[in-house]
Amino acid sequence: MEKPANKKLSSSELSFFCMQIAMTLKSGMLIKNSIDWMYDDIEEGNVKNALYSLKSKLSEKVPLHNAMKNSGYFPSYIVNMSQIGSVTGKLEDVMLSLSKYYDRENFLKGKIKNSIFYPAMLFVMMSFVIILLVTKIFPIFEGMLEELGASPDDSSFLVSFSNGIMAGRVAMALVIIIMAAIAIIFIFNKTENGKKNLNNFLGNFALTKSIMKKITAYRFSSAMSLLLNSGMNVDSSIDMLLDIVEEPVLKNKIQLCKDSMKSGESFLDSVNKLSLFNSMQMQMLRMGQKIGEMDVVMNKLTDIYENEAEQAINNTVSLIEPMLVGILSVLIGMILISVMLPLMNIMSSIG
């Protein structure tokens, strides 16, 4: 019985799959035989499930891209690119390019996740400290004050303590609200509208605006390089990108480019309006168009924006980390001081 195809392959798995297909094609092996060989060689997992589905479909003598589409494990981008490779006779080159493309995507996604992980863990740990203070430490201090003889009438001693408790409770409430908001955003991001709204927010937010712009430029140049290198012309590449790109901001940019080209403007003039590339990079593209190597220039721009996006992420994280540590440290410090001062005053008066 065929295994269910309910989980698409990740970027790293897609890169592995494309590289294996490219290698077997280079050796002269037939697609069906290469899939059989890969299935027997690989361990259990999502890739093996995908290969199992491909084996079944290829035994019916359907093309690879149809088998990939029907399996449900592969995104539309790789399916369409495989079809282009089959039609143009460049399937090996396309698979090799796709392997590099998904390698880059995996690296970028990993970089973003790793950059978010440390500040998120820092926030969680500091939040745990605040909740611990309010729920466990404050009651102990209240008991100590009562044992030392403080009463509600001792306003000079208890005002600061009460303020500390109030500040702690407010901080804990804020932490809970922020955590709930993050959970809601995570769930909301699973929907099409949620993803679009989140991308629009990140694209306009001061700390992430530069990062999102560089990532959009990287993905545009990377996809165009791959399509142009496969033998497609500019118009066809734009049409295909519009059909297969899922990221809302990039999809909107491509639509604007297509509309501008329909009105009679050239591809490069249309791209220039999108403000993805600077004047020097646009000059590189114009030169590449003249000599017929625009795909090479697009690939070079992909390398440039991959590095710039990584650097922008690192810079933003290096800014957020000390800010987060500083804010949370000051908050916890103020809470502790407001609690400790009345306790010290009572002890000194007793002494």
Side-chain angles (χ1 to χ4, degrees):
M1 183 176 179
E2 186 170 313
K3 300 176 183 178
N6 56 0
K7 183 182 178 184
K8 290 194 181 293
L9 299 179
S10 66
S11 295
S12 59
E13 290 169 338
L14 288 169
S15 176
F16 169 80
F17 173 81
C18 293
M19 179 58 71
Q20 292 295 312
I21 292 293
M23 290 172 62
T24 53
L25 286 173
K26 187 175 182 179
S27 69
M29 190 181 297
L30 295 175
I31 290 288
K32 184 181 182 305
N33 294 338
S34 66
I35 295 296
D36 291 340
W37 171 74
M38 289 168 61
Y39 178 80
D40 294 336
D41 191 58
I42 200 169
E43 297 179 358
E44 292 295 329
N46 203 37
V47 176
K48 193 175 185 74
N49 294 341
L51 293 172
Y52 179 85
S53 179
L54 289 181
K55 272 168 57 73
S56 303
K57 303 234 174 352
L58 289 173
S59 64
E60 300 171 6
K61 301 190 183 303
V62 299
L64 176 63
H65 60 271
N66 283 344
M68 293 166 68
K69 181 179 180 179
N70 295 332
S71 72
Y73 283 92
F74 299 88
S76 58
Y77 187 69
I78 189 174
V79 172
N80 290 330
M81 289 304 301
S82 299
Q83 183 176 5
I84 293 169
S86 298
V87 171
T88 59
K90 294 183 176 182
L91 185 58
E92 179 189 333
D93 295 335
V94 168
M95 282 295 174
L96 190 59
S97 297
L98 281 169
S99 177
K100 293 177 181 177
Y101 172 82
Y102 283 112
D103 256 341
R104 284 171 165 163
E105 281 291 296
N106 184 55
F107 173 80
L108 187 59
K109 289 177 182 178
K111 191 67 181 178
I112 293 172
K113 288 179 181 178
N114 290 337
S115 299
I116 294 173
F117 178 77
Y118 180 75
M121 288 301 298
L122 185 62
F123 175 77
V124 169
M125 287 188 291
M126 290 293 190
S127 300
F128 177 76
V129 172
I130 292 174
I131 293 172
L132 184 66
L133 283 173
V134 174
T135 58
K136 298 295 182 181
I137 306 301
F138 283 179
I140 295 175
F141 282 163
E142 285 180 308
M144 292 176 64
L145 286 173
E146 289 178 2
E147 290 179 3
L148 291 172
S151 67
D153 297 329
D154 298 326
S155 58
S156 58
F157 294 127
L158 297 181
V159 168
S160 179
F161 182 73
S162 299
N163 289 338
I165 292 178
M166 181 61 67
R169 287 172 179 168
V170 169
M172 185 174 71
L174 286 174
V175 165
I176 293 172
I177 290 171
I178 291 172
M179 287 183 171
I182 292 172
I184 291 171
I185 291 171
F186 179 79
I187 296 171
F188 191 49
N189 190 46
K190 297 295 183 180
T191 66
E192 190 65 31
N193 286 334
K195 188 179 294 185
K196 183 177 181 180
N197 291 331
L198 181 61
N199 275 275
N200 287 334
F201 170 76
L202 294 175
N204 293 309
F205 186 55
L207 284 176
T208 55
K209 186 176 181 179
S210 175
I211 296 174
M212 295 302 292
K213 182 179 178 181
K214 294 179 188 302
I215 289 175
T216 301
Y218 153 76
R219 285 180 170 156
F220 180 82
S221 59
S222 180
M224 283 299 297
S225 170
L226 188 54
L227 289 165
L228 292 172
N229 187 53
S230 68
M232 296 186 67
N233 59 36
V234 169
D235 292 337
S236 300
S237 297
I238 290 294
D239 289 337
M240 175 162 283
L241 277 182
L242 196 57
D243 291 336
I244 61 181
V245 165
E246 298 177 354
E247 200 272 314
V249 174
L250 180 55
K251 196 177 186 72
N252 183 55
K253 295 278 189 184
I254 296 168
Q255 182 64 61
L256 291 173
C257 183
K258 181 177 179 179
D259 293 342
S260 181
M261 291 171 66
K262 275 187 176 181
S263 66
E265 296 198 45
S266 67
F267 167 68
L268 292 181
D269 288 338
S270 301
V271 170
N272 194 34
K273 284 185 175 181
L274 303 181
S275 301
L276 288 174
F277 309 117
N278 60 36
S279 58
M280 184 179 70
Q281 291 163 350
M282 287 304 303
Q283 187 60 39
M284 290 170 59
L285 285 171
R286 294 185 195 282
M287 182 60 68
Q289 187 180 49
K290 286 181 180 178
I291 63 177
E293 292 190 355
M294 192 182 291
D295 59 321
V296 177
V297 178
M298 282 290 185
N299 190 55
K300 179 63 177 177
L301 292 179
T302 301
D303 293 335
I304 291 173
Y305 277 104
E306 182 181 20
N307 293 330
E308 288 192 5
E310 180 184 359
Q311 188 60 46
I313 292 170
N314 290 336
N315 291 341
T316 302
V317 171
S318 65
L319 178 65
I320 291 175
E321 287 177 359
M323 286 177 58
L324 188 60
V325 171
I327 292 171
L328 293 175
S329 298
V330 168
L331 182 60
I332 293 173
M334 289 176 63
I335 294 171
L336 287 175
I337 290 172
S338 62
V339 171
M340 293 299 295
L341 282 178
L343 185 62
M344 293 173 64
N345 288 335
I346 290 177
M347 294 180 68
S348 61
S349 64
I350 293 174

